[in-house]
Amino acid sequence: LRGIALVLRKVFGLRSDVVGIVDELVGRIFGELDYRAERLAVERFRATYSLGGGSGPDLAGKVRAPRVVPELSTDRVLVMEWIDGVRLSDHSAEGVRSSAKNVLLERGVRCSLHQLLETGFMHADPHPGNLVVDANTGALTYLDFGMTVTVDARRRSAMLRGLVGFVNRDARSLVRDLVELEFLPRDVDRKRAAYAVTAVFDCVARAMN
């Protein structure tokens, strides 16, 4: 695949980093097959959101991951406890009360923000099929830790500053953080970029009035 990507890039003159995309894709595939890494990810997530794990009263014990059975797990097999409950993708989830759905939605959003901005360790595939409402505890249970990502403290700080800059419509600050997050290249003309961001802010403000 890497060889094909190199040829395609040369033949068609592609500007995209096709080789980098292939490396990332293949790396993720092999990463998902590493059950030792997945086991560590599950156990880390469980510890974070257990009672006393430091995630706070809104999440501790209300978000969890299945318990790993270490004596039955190897690098080729990962055994976890069975979770009785309702997947958010199941038709039976339609029977969940609206009030309960709102609580689960808020909990999921809080959990995602906690992962992204506080711990930096994220479940990278939290679609409805990977989320189960535990029938016994009501906890929002995350499944399938084959894909996780770690966001370092520098980028987390840039994200927080970017959010503040966005709320305050501080274009210069927002551009600086977009560069730090690598959404914009480091050699970008920051003055022109700030002017463009300001124009977007003004356009949105006019549309809302």
Side-chain angles (χ1 to χ4, degrees), residues 9 13 22 39 43 45 68 90 106 119 152 166 171-172 187:
R9 184 175 183 181
V22 169
R39 172 184 168 181
E43 291 174 339
F45 193 91
V68 173
D90 290 348
E106 181 180 350
T119 68
D152 60 44
F166 179 79
R172 291 178 61 187
D187 60 353

Side-chain angles (χ1 to χ4, degrees), residues 100-121:
K101 287 181 180 178
N102 290 337
V103 170
L104 290 169
L105 176 61
E106 181 180 350
R107 190 180 301 167
V109 171
R110 283 178 178 271
C111 185
S112 293
L113 290 174
H114 183 260
Q115 292 173 63
L116 178 61
L117 301 177
E118 183 68 24
T119 68
F121 174 70

Side-chain angles (χ1 to χ4, degrees), residues 50-121:
S50 63
L51 293 173
S55 59
D58 293 322
L59 296 174
K62 299 174 183 177
V63 172
R64 64 187 297 263
R67 181 180 59 84
V68 173
V69 184
E71 57 271 21
L72 297 178
S73 299
T74 68
D75 59 343
R76 294 176 177 270
V77 177
L78 181 61
V79 180
M80 293 178 282
E81 68 173 314
W82 178 264
I83 303 296
D84 281 318
V86 178
R87 287 180 189 264
L88 296 189
S89 61
D90 290 348
H91 291 298
S92 52
E94 296 173 2
V96 178
R97 299 192 316 273
S98 295
S99 57
K101 287 181 180 178
N102 290 337
V103 170
L104 290 169
L105 176 61
E106 181 180 350
R107 190 180 301 167
V109 171
R110 283 178 178 271
C111 185
S112 293
L113 290 174
H114 183 260
Q115 292 173 63
L116 178 61
L117 301 177
E118 183 68 24
T119 68
F121 174 70

Side-chain angles (χ1 to χ4, degrees), residues 32-196:
E32 284 206 63
L33 297 176
D34 185 348
Y35 290 127
R36 291 169 299 183
E38 184 168 353
R39 172 184 168 181
L40 292 174
V42 173
E43 291 174 339
R44 180 176 178 180
F45 193 91
R46 273 181 62 82
T48 299
Y49 294 103
S50 63
L51 293 173
S55 59
D58 293 322
L59 296 174
K62 299 174 183 177
V63 172
R64 64 187 297 263
R67 181 180 59 84
V68 173
V69 184
E71 57 271 21
L72 297 178
S73 299
T74 68
D75 59 343
R76 294 176 177 270
V77 177
L78 181 61
V79 180
M80 293 178 282
E81 68 173 314
W82 178 264
I83 303 296
D84 281 318
V86 178
R87 287 180 189 264
L88 296 189
S89 61
D90 290 348
H91 291 298
S92 52
E94 296 173 2
V96 178
R97 299 192 316 273
S98 295
S99 57
K101 287 181 180 178
N102 290 337
V103 170
L104 290 169
L105 176 61
E106 181 180 350
R107 190 180 301 167
V109 171
R110 283 178 178 271
C111 185
S112 293
L113 290 174
H114 183 260
Q115 292 173 63
L116 178 61
L117 301 177
E118 183 68 24
T119 68
F121 174 70
M122 295 190 65
H123 185 298
D125 195 22
H127 60 77
N130 281 342
L131 297 170
V132 173
V133 183
D134 191 308
N136 298 313
T137 65
L140 184 62
T141 306
Y142 284 66
L143 307 177
D144 189 359
F145 284 77
M147 285 197 295
T148 58
V149 294
T150 301
V151 182
D152 60 44
R154 178 177 61 84
R155 285 187 171 85
R156 297 203 304 273
S157 295
M159 287 179 186
L160 286 169
R161 290 195 307 268
L163 287 172
V164 172
F166 179 79
V167 171
N168 292 333
R169 297 186 179 183
D170 184 344
R172 291 178 61 187
S173 172
L174 185 55
V175 167
R176 179 194 65 206
D177 293 314
L178 289 173
V179 170
E180 184 70 25
L181 292 168
E182 299 178 4
F183 287 112
L184 292 174
R186 292 201 172 273
D187 60 353
V188 69
D189 185 330
R190 299 194 181 197
K191 186 174 181 180
R192 291 182 63 186
Y195 179 81

